[in-house]
Amino acid sequence: PVLYEESDPRVSVEGLWVLEAYDGPTNGFIRVAREYGDMLHFKFKGRQVKMVVATYWTCGAANIYIDGELAAAVNMYSPDTAYNVVIFDKPGLRNCEHILTVEVLGNGNHEVDHNFVNIDAFEVR
């Protein structure tokens, strides 16, 4: 497997995605957004992709698309902070170019008015 970090040139964003430093992520950073409709795109070639995130109390929900098709809805909320969480795993892809898109939904934890979505890394096989 090859690990691609959140700041890799294969990653592009729509909206405000901020790099934040922490002790737990794979390279010490996660990329974070919170506004509904903010998107992050990751271009890759491979048969499988995993998305690695942090989960914590101010996190919320996101839709994940592969090549424009909805592949999953995920929620990064957790009462306890955890790093290096594989929140999405898509095996069985054709071995060609793909685009994984993360769309911030702005909800997922009704106890806070901000629901962050973050990316730590992508693992491709």
Side-chain angles (χ1 to χ4, degrees):
V2 178
L3 192 67
Y4 297 95
E5 295 294 345
E6 74 294 318
S7 55
D8 190 275
R10 293 168 188 84
V11 174
S12 62
V13 298
E14 296 176 45
L16 179 63
W17 288 80
V18 178
L19 281 177
E20 295 184 352
Y22 295 93
D23 289 333
T26 56
N27 70 342
F29 292 93
I30 57 175
R31 189 170 244 178
V32 178
R34 74 175 196 174
E35 298 298 325
Y36 171 81
D38 285 352
M39 293 190 185
L40 181 142
H41 309 283
F42 171 58
K43 295 179 182 179
F44 67 97
K45 181 179 180 180
R47 296 181 185 275
Q48 180 178 11
V49 63
K50 295 180 182 182
M51 190 169 86
V52 181
V53 303
T55 57
Y56 48 95
W57 73 276
T58 58
C59 285
N63 282 335
I64 302 172
Y65 301 85
I66 299 284
D67 302 330
E69 298 289 324
L70 182 63
V74 299
N75 193 340
M76 299 175 194
Y77 167 78
S78 173
D80 301 309
T81 300
Y83 295 101
N84 305 304
V85 175
V86 175
I87 201 154
F88 175 75
D89 182 359
K90 180 68 175 173
L93 298 170
R94 288 187 14 234
N95 192 23
C96 62
E97 295 288 327
H98 299 282
I99 297 176
L100 181 149
T101 299
V102 179
E103 176 187 35
V104 177
L105 297 180
N107 61 19
N109 177 3
H110 66 277
E111 295 179 8
V112 295
D113 61 356
H114 47 276
N115 284 258
F116 293 98
V117 168
N118 71 85
I119 304 297
D120 181 2
F122 297 96
E123 182 182 299
V124 176
R125 291 179 187 264

